[in-house]
Amino acid sequence: MGRSEKGLANSKPRKVEPAWTPQKINALADVRVTDIIAGPCAAHSFFITDDNRIFGLGRNEQGQLGLNNTERQDAAVEIPFFKSMKVIGAAVGRAHSLVVTEKDGVYGMGCNEMGQLGIRGPVGKGAVVISPRAVELDQKINRSPAVSTSVCFCQRRASCSVPGALNQDSSV
């Protein structure tokens, strides 16, 4: 549901009209989606599949989809940067995103005006990151495959928690 110039079911340009009923996303027809990441402030979404791939669509004016551009994405596409990684979680804010991978860490992309991506790099008005960049964590996170990951944020505040995660000294 939502608005799209090209529509969710096909890629032919059409007038932007709300979709008041569920629409099939053809780009995801042959994959099994296990997690959908969307937010109340965001106009972009991510889909994680059972084989740990990540697809995205929606607004991208700040590079929040991590596609190395700022073009709106009306059809779901696999995010190329993460093709060799196992994605286990993600979160979306108004114009920024975080993606959690199994072994390679956490990555941020999009608006970094307030430093919300947790990366070294541009901060301040107009600061954007259009390709995923590693978030610098204070410590390594060791986690069991059976432990779920939750990530939640809106606009400029972010939270990423890994319940049951162990610190380097094996404390929880």
Side-chain angles (χ1 to χ4, degrees), residues 8-9 24-33 49 53 55 76:
L8 296 176
K24 181 178 179 180
I25 300 175
N26 286 338
L28 300 174
D30 295 329
V31 297
R32 184 166 182 251
V33 174
T49 66
R53 295 184 295 157
F55 291 76

Side-chain angles (χ1 to χ4, degrees), residues 63-133:
Q64 60 264 44
L65 292 176
L67 295 171
N68 205 30
N69 65 48
T70 56
E71 297 171 15
R72 178 181 165 137
Q73 185 63 48
D74 290 316
V77 295
E78 186 171 2
I79 310 301
F81 181 88
F82 297 105
K83 280 189 176 186
S84 65
M85 302 177 200
K86 286 188 170 187
V87 174
I88 59 173
V92 296
R94 184 174 186 175
H96 63 291
S97 306
L98 293 174
V99 173
V100 183
T101 62
E102 185 175 71
K103 295 181 180 177
D104 302 295
V106 180
Y107 292 84
M109 54 257 192
C111 177
N112 198 37
E113 186 173 313
M114 305 298 288
Q116 62 265 50
L117 297 180
I119 63 169
R120 290 183 196 227
V123 176
K125 188 169 179 127
V128 297
V129 176
I130 63 172
S131 184
R133 300 235 338 239

Side-chain angles (χ1 to χ4, degrees), residues 88 102 142-149:
I88 59 173
E102 185 175 71
N142 299 312
R143 64 184 293 282
S144 161
V147 176
S148 67
T149 303

Side-chain angles (χ1 to χ4, degrees), residues 3-64:
R3 294 177 181 259
S4 174
E5 289 178 18
K6 294 182 180 177
L8 296 176
N10 62 51
S11 60
K12 295 178 182 175
R14 65 181 176 96
K15 183 179 176 185
V16 176
E17 294 188 25
W20 299 111
T21 59
Q23 304 291 309
K24 181 178 179 180
I25 300 175
N26 286 338
L28 300 174
D30 295 329
V31 297
R32 184 166 182 251
V33 174
T34 57
D35 201 2
I36 299 171
I37 298 89
C41 301
H44 65 292
S45 302
F46 288 115
F47 307 89
I48 299 175
T49 66
D50 63 346
D51 57 355
N52 301 97
R53 295 184 295 157
I54 187 167
F55 291 76
L57 62 77
R59 287 178 55 179
N60 191 37
E61 73 280 355
Q62 303 285 320
Q64 60 264 44

